[in-house]
Amino acid sequence: MSCEGMSVLVIDDEEGMREGMRRVLKKKGFTVDTAENGADAIDKMKKSAYDLALVDLKMPGIDGFQVTGFIKEHFGDGTVVVIVSALATVEAAVEVTSRGAFDFLVKPFTPADLLQVVERAVNQRRLIQERETYLTELNSERNLSRQIINSMREGVVVVNLNRRPVLMNPRAEFFLGTRFSEGMSLEEAGFSDQVLEVMERLFSDEKDGGQVVLREKHQDQMLEVQLTPHLRDGARVGVIINMRDVTEEWKAEQDKNRFISMVAHELTSPLAAIINYINIILTGMFDEKPDKIHEMLGRSKVRGEALLDLIKDLQYLNKREAGKVEKSMEPLDLSAVIADQLEFMKGQAERNRITCLLEKNEDDFTVHADRGDLDRIFMNLISNGIKYNVEGGTLTVGLTRNKKDILIRVSDTGIGMSEKEMANLFQEFYRVKNPKTSGISGTGLGLATIKRVLDGYNGRIYVESEPGKGTTFTVRFPGVSSPV
Ligand code: ADP
């Protein structure tokens, strides 16, 4: 018997008995205290707790019954009681056992008798200790699970077979716009008809009905709702509902789908035109008119080149999104970059009889950027300012700087746009369709690309325009703060 750390209180009014028991138990390694009557015992127990109490039943004053009562009331199973009684009081000893004492020992007894009973009591005490530890652990595990469930970003609801929610974490309350209360109904929980229908199926479907995942809109949010049968020993006892906010993924998917269908549409029309020209040539109807064939081939070439431009732009956008465009960030003088670009576009401007001007003061226009990105932004704007201009018009690029930012205004005196035409200007493939733009080729990807590139620099682009008067694009680009 291992008695290490076990404490015993021996309560007996007979000194010989008391001391005898003390000796035997001490030898076995118990920590032993003695009390000579009930009052003394209660005093001692108020001061310290004992694992075991050996209680003499018949004592003057407060007797063994009362002491046992006190122990059960104050310490419950924390102190195991063994009643010590004379043969004449065995019945009473049995009685007190039924009121909470663990066992009894009949006087006179040998040390071996004592140890046998005490050993059983010690085992009982150990069992109780183990159960207490287990319960404490279980309780703290429950608390932990509860905390985990409550801190989750997913909403969790558990519904029992009576169709009552029995658990709902705060996130689920938020998604469902409700407050959990014991005994609330599914309707009060705010589930949609769709979810209720699936839940019902999971309740009734004994065989296969596994997990079901569905999506549904809750105001501006797209929620993914996952319903799983809650099983205990293979039997259905309820349904576990998980809810996740998938708004971002959903929006991205929608953008992607929209983009793919636009790409398909944009690729179709030039290809269809080219195939059409080839088919006409193949009929042989213009075999005798090489000029006509030339003209059609020329048009096919233009459409083919436009298609290639479009594909290149798409490839660039794709690479950029995937982070595969190599960048080399360096301090660059934006005014010098733009002067270069204007020089580069000189040929095209002269062909369209457009005068290009660069207006700037002596401010510092240094930016920290990738040269390729700056070309994408400003070459597109300059090229548009020439393309959508009128013969003899002007394109002016003006640079100014405030404390933090550099403002670049690209102004033309061209065809301009109405408010309505500008509404979707920065969307991929958007092109203004009117008689003035009909002969001008483009992909509709330039401004969308500019916007995406600028986003990467925390830059902004604004537009002002008036039909027949011209257009001004203003780019706000963060400048490198100049040393004071
Ligand atoms: P595109 O390849 O068609 O030029 P962009 O994305 O650069 O594509 O421009 C989108 C549309 O915006 C153009 O098709 C055109 O209708 C209009 N636009 C762009 N810049 C100007 C401008 N400076 N003046 C008038 N319209 C413009």
Side-chain angles (χ1 to χ4, degrees), residues 43-63:
D43 267 358
K44 293 228 158 80
M45 283 190 283
K46 278 183 181 162
K47 285 187 199 120
S48 53
Y50 296 92
D51 294 304
L52 260 55
L54 294 174
V55 186
D56 183 20
L57 199 54
K58 268 197 126 211
M59 288 182 290
I62 299 174
D63 66 9

mmCIF file with all atom_site columns, all heavy atoms in Angstrom, residues 43-63:
data_model
loop_
_atom_site.group_PDB
_atom_site.id
_atom_site.type_symbol
_atom_site.label_atom_id
_atom_site.label_alt_id
_atom_site.label_comp_id
_atom_site.label_asym_id
_atom_site.label_entity_id
_atom_site.label_seq_id
_atom_site.pdbx_PDB_ins_code
_atom_site.Cartn_x
_atom_site.Cartn_y
_atom_site.Cartn_z
_atom_site.occupancy
_atom_site.B_iso_or_equiv
_atom_site.pdbx_formal_charge
_atom_site.auth_seq_id
_atom_site.auth_comp_id
_atom_site.auth_asym_id
_atom_site.auth_atom_id
_atom_site.pdbx_PDB_model_num
ATOM 1   N N   . ASP A 1 43 ? -12.432 20.898 15.114 1.00 0.00 ? 43 ASP A N   1
ATOM 2   C CA  . ASP A 1 43 ? -11.422 21.979 15.157 1.00 0.00 ? 43 ASP A CA  1
ATOM 3   C C   . ASP A 1 43 ? -10.260 21.682 14.227 1.00 0.00 ? 43 ASP A C   1
ATOM 4   O O   . ASP A 1 43 ? -9.824  22.524 13.455 1.00 0.00 ? 43 ASP A O   1
ATOM 5   C CB  . ASP A 1 43 ? -10.852 22.070 16.591 1.00 0.00 ? 43 ASP A CB  1
ATOM 6   C CG  . ASP A 1 43 ? -11.617 23.098 17.404 1.00 0.00 ? 43 ASP A CG  1
ATOM 7   O OD1 . ASP A 1 43 ? -12.534 23.716 16.797 1.00 0.00 ? 43 ASP A OD1 1
ATOM 8   O OD2 . ASP A 1 43 ? -11.304 23.261 18.602 1.00 0.00 ? 43 ASP A OD2 1
ATOM 9   N N   . LYS A 1 44 ? -9.758  20.438 14.344 1.00 0.00 ? 44 LYS A N   1
ATOM 10  C CA  . LYS A 1 44 ? -8.581  20.052 13.536 1.00 0.00 ? 44 LYS A CA  1
ATOM 11  C C   . LYS A 1 44 ? -8.923  20.100 12.048 1.00 0.00 ? 44 LYS A C   1
ATOM 12  O O   . LYS A 1 44 ? -8.137  20.539 11.222 1.00 0.00 ? 44 LYS A O   1
ATOM 13  C CB  . LYS A 1 44 ? -8.112  18.647 13.933 1.00 0.00 ? 44 LYS A CB  1
ATOM 14  C CG  . LYS A 1 44 ? -7.553  18.598 15.353 1.00 0.00 ? 44 LYS A CG  1
ATOM 15  C CD  . LYS A 1 44 ? -6.220  17.861 15.378 1.00 0.00 ? 44 LYS A CD  1
ATOM 16  C CE  . LYS A 1 44 ? -5.367  18.223 16.583 1.00 0.00 ? 44 LYS A CE  1
ATOM 17  N NZ  . LYS A 1 44 ? -5.714  17.546 17.831 1.00 0.00 ? 44 LYS A NZ  1
ATOM 18  N N   . MET A 1 45 ? -10.142 19.612 11.716 1.00 0.00 ? 45 MET A N   1
ATOM 19  C CA  . MET A 1 45 ? -10.511 19.557 10.294 1.00 0.00 ? 45 MET A CA  1
ATOM 20  C C   . MET A 1 45 ? -10.759 20.949 9.709  1.00 0.00 ? 45 MET A C   1
ATOM 21  O O   . MET A 1 45 ? -10.643 21.149 8.509  1.00 0.00 ? 45 MET A O   1
ATOM 22  C CB  . MET A 1 45 ? -11.739 18.673 10.115 1.00 0.00 ? 45 MET A CB  1
ATOM 23  C CG  . MET A 1 45 ? -11.360 17.190 10.199 1.00 0.00 ? 45 MET A CG  1
ATOM 24  S SD  . MET A 1 45 ? -12.686 16.111 9.728  1.00 0.00 ? 45 MET A SD  1
ATOM 25  C CE  . MET A 1 45 ? -13.700 16.174 11.168 1.00 0.00 ? 45 MET A CE  1
ATOM 26  N N   . LYS A 1 46 ? -11.101 21.881 10.605 1.00 0.00 ? 46 LYS A N   1
ATOM 27  C CA  . LYS A 1 46 ? -11.278 23.257 10.117 1.00 0.00 ? 46 LYS A CA  1
ATOM 28  C C   . LYS A 1 46 ? -9.933  23.843 9.713  1.00 0.00 ? 46 LYS A C   1
ATOM 29  O O   . LYS A 1 46 ? -9.843  24.718 8.851  1.00 0.00 ? 46 LYS A O   1
ATOM 30  C CB  . LYS A 1 46 ? -11.944 24.125 11.185 1.00 0.00 ? 46 LYS A CB  1
ATOM 31  C CG  . LYS A 1 46 ? -13.461 23.949 11.200 1.00 0.00 ? 46 LYS A CG  1
ATOM 32  C CD  . LYS A 1 46 ? -14.090 24.875 12.208 1.00 0.00 ? 46 LYS A CD  1
ATOM 33  C CE  . LYS A 1 46 ? -15.598 24.704 12.247 1.00 0.00 ? 46 LYS A CE  1
ATOM 34  N NZ  . LYS A 1 46 ? -16.168 25.253 13.473 1.00 0.00 ? 46 LYS A NZ  1
ATOM 35  N N   . LYS A 1 47 ? -8.868  23.341 10.371 1.00 0.00 ? 47 LYS A N   1
ATOM 36  C CA  . LYS A 1 47 ? -7.526  23.867 10.101 1.00 0.00 ? 47 LYS A CA  1
ATOM 37  C C   . LYS A 1 47 ? -6.875  23.180 8.902  1.00 0.00 ? 47 LYS A C   1
ATOM 38  O O   . LYS A 1 47 ? -6.205  23.809 8.106  1.00 0.00 ? 47 LYS A O   1
ATOM 39  C CB  . LYS A 1 47 ? -6.645  23.731 11.345 1.00 0.00 ? 47 LYS A CB  1
ATOM 40  C CG  . LYS A 1 47 ? -7.024  24.769 12.391 1.00 0.00 ? 47 LYS A CG  1
ATOM 41  C CD  . LYS A 1 47 ? -6.050  24.762 13.551 1.00 0.00 ? 47 LYS A CD  1
ATOM 42  C CE  . LYS A 1 47 ? -6.668  25.425 14.766 1.00 0.00 ? 47 LYS A CE  1
ATOM 43  N NZ  . LYS A 1 47 ? -6.769  24.525 15.922 1.00 0.00 ? 47 LYS A NZ  1
ATOM 44  N N   . SER A 1 48 ? -7.049  21.847 8.802  1.00 0.00 ? 48 SER A N   1
ATOM 45  C CA  . SER A 1 48 ? -6.461  21.203 7.623  1.00 0.00 ? 48 SER A CA  1
ATOM 46  C C   . SER A 1 48 ? -7.333  20.050 7.145  1.00 0.00 ? 48 SER A C   1
ATOM 47  O O   . SER A 1 48 ? -8.099  19.483 7.924  1.00 0.00 ? 48 SER A O   1
ATOM 48  C CB  . SER A 1 48 ? -5.045  20.716 7.933  1.00 0.00 ? 48 SER A CB  1
ATOM 49  O OG  . SER A 1 48 ? -5.053  19.924 9.085  1.00 0.00 ? 48 SER A OG  1
ATOM 50  N N   . ALA A 1 49 ? -7.181  19.759 5.834  1.00 0.00 ? 49 ALA A N   1
ATOM 51  C CA  . ALA A 1 49 ? -8.009  18.698 5.243  1.00 0.00 ? 49 ALA A CA  1
ATOM 52  C C   . ALA A 1 49 ? -7.289  17.360 5.353  1.00 0.00 ? 49 ALA A C   1
ATOM 53  O O   . ALA A 1 49 ? -6.061  17.298 5.272  1.00 0.00 ? 49 ALA A O   1
ATOM 54  C CB  . ALA A 1 49 ? -8.262  19.030 3.784  1.00 0.00 ? 49 ALA A CB  1
ATOM 55  N N   . TYR A 1 50 ? -8.074  16.282 5.571  1.00 0.00 ? 50 TYR A N   1
ATOM 56  C CA  . TYR A 1 50 ? -7.493  14.929 5.686  1.00 0.00 ? 50 TYR A CA  1
ATOM 57  C C   . TYR A 1 50 ? -8.045  14.043 4.584  1.00 0.00 ? 50 TYR A C   1
ATOM 58  O O   . TYR A 1 50 ? -9.201  14.200 4.169  1.00 0.00 ? 50 TYR A O   1
ATOM 59  C CB  . TYR A 1 50 ? -7.840  14.330 7.055  1.00 0.00 ? 50 TYR A CB  1
ATOM 60  C CG  . TYR A 1 50 ? -7.219  15.124 8.187  1.00 0.00 ? 50 TYR A CG  1
ATOM 61  C CD1 . TYR A 1 50 ? -7.915  16.170 8.803  1.00 0.00 ? 50 TYR A CD1 1
ATOM 62  C CD2 . TYR A 1 50 ? -5.917  14.832 8.624  1.00 0.00 ? 50 TYR A CD2 1
ATOM 63  C CE1 . TYR A 1 50 ? -7.343  16.918 9.819  1.00 0.00 ? 50 TYR A CE1 1
ATOM 64  C CE2 . TYR A 1 50 ? -5.346  15.578 9.644  1.00 0.00 ? 50 TYR A CE2 1
ATOM 65  C CZ  . TYR A 1 50 ? -6.054  16.617 10.235 1.00 0.00 ? 50 TYR A CZ  1
ATOM 66  O OH  . TYR A 1 50 ? -5.484  17.346 11.239 1.00 0.00 ? 50 TYR A OH  1
ATOM 67  N N   . ASP A 1 51 ? -7.174  13.120 4.126  1.00 0.00 ? 51 ASP A N   1
ATOM 68  C CA  . ASP A 1 51 ? -7.653  12.172 3.116  1.00 0.00 ? 51 ASP A CA  1
ATOM 69  C C   . ASP A 1 51 ? -8.570  11.135 3.758  1.00 0.00 ? 51 ASP A C   1
ATOM 70  O O   . ASP A 1 51 ? -9.560  10.723 3.170  1.00 0.00 ? 51 ASP A O   1
ATOM 71  C CB  . ASP A 1 51 ? -6.465  11.452 2.465  1.00 0.00 ? 51 ASP A CB  1
ATOM 72  C CG  . ASP A 1 51 ? -5.613  12.419 1.664  1.00 0.00 ? 51 ASP A CG  1
ATOM 73  O OD1 . ASP A 1 51 ? -6.184  13.068 0.768  1.00 0.00 ? 51 ASP A OD1 1
ATOM 74  O OD2 . ASP A 1 51 ? -4.412  12.548 1.963  1.00 0.00 ? 51 ASP A OD2 1
ATOM 75  N N   . LEU A 1 52 ? -8.187  10.712 4.970  1.00 0.00 ? 52 LEU A N   1
ATOM 76  C CA  . LEU A 1 52 ? -8.947  9.671  5.669  1.00 0.00 ? 52 LEU A CA  1
ATOM 77  C C   . LEU A 1 52 ? -9.302  10.155 7.066  1.00 0.00 ? 52 LEU A C   1
ATOM 78  O O   . LEU A 1 52 ? -8.526  10.896 7.676  1.00 0.00 ? 52 LEU A O   1
ATOM 79  C CB  . LEU A 1 52 ? -8.053  8.431  5.839  1.00 0.00 ? 52 LEU A CB  1
ATOM 80  C CG  . LEU A 1 52 ? -8.199  7.244  4.879  1.00 0.00 ? 52 LEU A CG  1
ATOM 81  C CD1 . LEU A 1 52 ? -8.045  7.694  3.447  1.00 0.00 ? 52 LEU A CD1 1
ATOM 82  C CD2 . LEU A 1 52 ? -7.145  6.188  5.209  1.00 0.00 ? 52 LEU A CD2 1
ATOM 83  N N   . ALA A 1 53 ? -10.452 9.680  7.592  1.00 0.00 ? 53 ALA A N   1
ATOM 84  C CA  . ALA A 1 53 ? -10.769 9.923  8.999  1.00 0.00 ? 53 ALA A CA  1
ATOM 85  C C   . ALA A 1 53 ? -11.229 8.599  9.588  1.00 0.00 ? 53 ALA A C   1
ATOM 86  O O   . ALA A 1 53 ? -12.107 7.935  9.019  1.00 0.00 ? 53 ALA A O   1
ATOM 87  C CB  . ALA A 1 53 ? -11.853 10.980 9.120  1.00 0.00 ? 53 ALA A CB  1
ATOM 88  N N   . LEU A 1 54 ? -10.556 8.189  10.698 1.00 0.00 ? 54 LEU A N   1
ATOM 89  C CA  . LEU A 1 54 ? -11.005 6.989  11.402 1.00 0.00 ? 54 LEU A CA  1
ATOM 90  C C   . LEU A 1 54 ? -11.828 7.504  12.571 1.00 0.00 ? 54 LEU A C   1
ATOM 91  O O   . LEU A 1 54 ? -11.298 8.196  13.454 1.00 0.00 ? 54 LEU A O   1
ATOM 92  C CB  . LEU A 1 54 ? -9.799  6.184  11.894 1.00 0.00 ? 54 LEU A CB  1
ATOM 93  C CG  . LEU A 1 54 ? -8.937  5.581  10.767 1.00 0.00 ? 54 LEU A CG  1
ATOM 94  C CD1 . LEU A 1 54 ? -7.681  4.936  11.330 1.00 0.00 ? 54 LEU A CD1 1
ATOM 95  C CD2 . LEU A 1 54 ? -9.738  4.554  9.998  1.00 0.00 ? 54 LEU A CD2 1
ATOM 96  N N   . VAL A 1 55 ? -13.123 7.254  12.538 1.00 0.00 ? 55 VAL A N   1
ATOM 97  C CA  . VAL A 1 55 ? -14.027 7.908  13.483 1.00 0.00 ? 55 VAL A CA  1
ATOM 98  C C   . VAL A 1 55 ? -14.638 6.887  14.444 1.00 0.00 ? 55 VAL A C   1
ATOM 99  O O   . VAL A 1 55 ? -15.350 5.959  14.021 1.00 0.00 ? 55 VAL A O   1
ATOM 100 C CB  . VAL A 1 55 ? -15.156 8.647  12.724 1.00 0.00 ? 55 VAL A CB  1
ATOM 101 C CG1 . VAL A 1 55 ? -16.020 9.446  13.699 1.00 0.00 ? 55 VAL A CG1 1
ATOM 102 C CG2 . VAL A 1 55 ? -14.584 9.558  11.639 1.00 0.00 ? 55 VAL A CG2 1
ATOM 103 N N   . ASP A 1 56 ? -14.362 7.088  15.714 1.00 0.00 ? 56 ASP A N   1
ATOM 104 C CA  . ASP A 1 56 ? -14.990 6.245  16.740 1.00 0.00 ? 56 ASP A CA  1
ATOM 105 C C   . ASP A 1 56 ? -16.453 6.659  16.819 1.00 0.00 ? 56 ASP A C   1
ATOM 106 O O   . ASP A 1 56 ? -16.771 7.853  16.829 1.00 0.00 ? 56 ASP A O   1
ATOM 107 C CB  . ASP A 1 56 ? -14.261 6.483  18.081 1.00 0.00 ? 56 ASP A CB  1
ATOM 108 C CG  . ASP A 1 56 ? -14.826 5.592  19.172 1.00 0.00 ? 56 ASP A CG  1
ATOM 109 O OD1 . ASP A 1 56 ? -15.464 4.570  18.820 1.00 0.00 ? 56 ASP A OD1 1
ATOM 110 O OD2 . ASP A 1 56 ? -14.624 5.918  20.363 1.00 0.00 ? 56 ASP A OD2 1
ATOM 111 N N   . LEU A 1 57 ? -17.313 5.664  16.840 1.00 0.00 ? 57 LEU A N   1
ATOM 112 C CA  . LEU A 1 57 ? -18.730 6.005  16.777 1.00 0.00 ? 57 LEU A CA  1
ATOM 113 C C   . LEU A 1 57 ? -19.251 6.567  18.101 1.00 0.00 ? 57 LEU A C   1
ATOM 114 O O   . LEU A 1 57 ? -19.946 7.575  18.135 1.00 0.00 ? 57 LEU A O   1
ATOM 115 C CB  . LEU A 1 57 ? -19.529 4.755  16.393 1.00 0.00 ? 57 LEU A CB  1
ATOM 116 C CG  . LEU A 1 57 ? -20.918 4.976  15.838 1.00 0.00 ? 57 LEU A CG  1
ATOM 117 C CD1 . LEU A 1 57 ? -20.895 5.932  14.652 1.00 0.00 ? 57 LEU A CD1 1
ATOM 118 C CD2 . LEU A 1 57 ? -21.547 3.654  15.425 1.00 0.00 ? 57 LEU A CD2 1
ATOM 119 N N   . LYS A 1 58 ? -18.823 5.892  19.159 1.00 0.00 ? 58 LYS A N   1
ATOM 120 C CA  . LYS A 1 58 ? -19.382 6.299  20.462 1.00 0.00 ? 58 LYS A CA  1
ATOM 121 C C   . LYS A 1 58 ? -18.406 7.188  21.203 1.00 0.00 ? 58 LYS A C   1
ATOM 122 O O   . LYS A 1 58 ? -17.370 6.738  21.681 1.00 0.00 ? 58 LYS A O   1
ATOM 123 C CB  . LYS A 1 58 ? -19.696 5.062  21.297 1.00 0.00 ? 58 LYS A CB  1
ATOM 124 C CG  . LYS A 1 58 ? -21.135 4.602  21.093 1.00 0.00 ? 58 LYS A CG  1
ATOM 125 C CD  . LYS A 1 58 ? -21.581 3.662  22.178 1.00 0.00 ? 58 LYS A CD  1
ATOM 126 C CE  . LYS A 1 58 ? -22.861 4.177  22.805 1.00 0.00 ? 58 LYS A CE  1
ATOM 127 N NZ  . LYS A 1 58 ? -23.056 3.877  24.163 1.00 0.00 ? 58 LYS A NZ  1
ATOM 128 N N   . MET A 1 59 ? -18.723 8.465  21.232 1.00 0.00 ? 59 MET A N   1
ATOM 129 C CA  . MET A 1 59 ? -17.853 9.400  21.967 1.00 0.00 ? 59 MET A CA  1
ATOM 130 C C   . MET A 1 59 ? -18.782 10.301 22.764 1.00 0.00 ? 59 MET A C   1
ATOM 131 O O   . MET A 1 59 ? -19.890 10.601 22.295 1.00 0.00 ? 59 MET A O   1
ATOM 132 C CB  . MET A 1 59 ? -17.023 10.240 20.987 1.00 0.00 ? 59 MET A CB  1
ATOM 133 C CG  . MET A 1 59 ? -15.917 9.469  20.289 1.00 0.00 ? 59 MET A CG  1
ATOM 134 S SD  . MET A 1 59 ? -14.954 10.546 19.206 1.00 0.00 ? 59 MET A SD  1
ATOM 135 C CE  . MET A 1 59 ? -16.079 10.904 17.914 1.00 0.00 ? 59 MET A CE  1
ATOM 136 N N   . PRO A 1 60 ? -18.327 10.759 23.897 1.00 0.00 ? 60 PRO A N   1
ATOM 137 C CA  . PRO A 1 60 ? -19.163 11.694 24.638 1.00 0.00 ? 60 PRO A CA  1
ATOM 138 C C   . PRO A 1 60 ? -19.240 13.024 23.860 1.00 0.00 ? 60 PRO A C   1
ATOM 139 O O   . PRO A 1 60 ? -18.319 13.371 23.135 1.00 0.00 ? 60 PRO A O   1
ATOM 140 C CB  . PRO A 1 60 ? -18.416 11.867 25.968 1.00 0.00 ? 60 PRO A CB  1
ATOM 141 C CG  . PRO A 1 60 ? -17.026 11.413 25.713 1.00 0.00 ? 60 PRO A CG  1
ATOM 142 C CD  . PRO A 1 60 ? -17.047 10.466 24.575 1.00 0.00 ? 60 PRO A CD  1
ATOM 143 N N   . GLY A 1 61 ? -20.339 13.739 24.001 1.00 0.00 ? 61 GLY A N   1
ATOM 144 C CA  . GLY A 1 61 ? -20.487 15.023 23.282 1.00 0.00 ? 61 GLY A CA  1
ATOM 145 C C   . GLY A 1 61 ? -20.802 14.750 21.815 1.00 0.00 ? 61 GLY A C   1
ATOM 146 O O   . GLY A 1 61 ? -21.702 13.973 21.486 1.00 0.00 ? 61 GLY A O   1
ATOM 147 N N   . ILE A 1 62 ? -20.037 15.359 20.963 1.00 0.00 ? 62 ILE A N   1
ATOM 148 C CA  . ILE A 1 62 ? -20.280 15.169 19.516 1.00 0.00 ? 62 ILE A CA  1
ATOM 149 C C   . ILE A 1 62 ? -19.831 13.760 19.150 1.00 0.00 ? 62 ILE A C   1
ATOM 150 O O   . ILE A 1 62 ? -18.634 13.452 19.250 1.00 0.00 ? 62 ILE A O   1
ATOM 151 C CB  . ILE A 1 62 ? -19.496 16.229 18.702 1.00 0.00 ? 62 ILE A CB  1
ATOM 152 C CG1 . ILE A 1 62 ? -19.984 17.634 19.111 1.00 0.00 ? 62 ILE A CG1 1
ATOM 153 C CG2 . ILE A 1 62 ? -19.662 16.008 17.206 1.00 0.00 ? 62 ILE A CG2 1
ATOM 154 C CD1 . ILE A 1 62 ? -19.206 18.760 18.496 1.00 0.00 ? 62 ILE A CD1 1
ATOM 155 N N   . ASP A 1 63 ? -20.761 12.914 18.722 1.00 0.00 ? 63 ASP A N   1
ATOM 156 C CA  . ASP A 1 63 ? -20.391 11.525 18.470 1.00 0.00 ? 63 ASP A CA  1
ATOM 157 C C   . ASP A 1 63 ? -19.989 11.302 17.001 1.00 0.00 ? 63 ASP A C   1
ATOM 158 O O   . ASP A 1 63 ? -19.945 12.245 16.195 1.00 0.00 ? 63 ASP A O   1
ATOM 159 C CB  . ASP A 1 63 ? -21.531 10.589 18.897 1.00 0.00 ? 63 ASP A CB  1
ATOM 160 C CG  . ASP A 1 63 ? -22.777 10.783 18.039 1.00 0.00 ? 63 ASP A CG  1
ATOM 161 O OD1 . ASP A 1 63 ? -22.688 11.522 17.017 1.00 0.00 ? 63 ASP A OD1 1
ATOM 162 O OD2 . ASP A 1 63 ? -23.829 10.209 18.370 1.00 0.00 ? 63 ASP A OD2 1
#
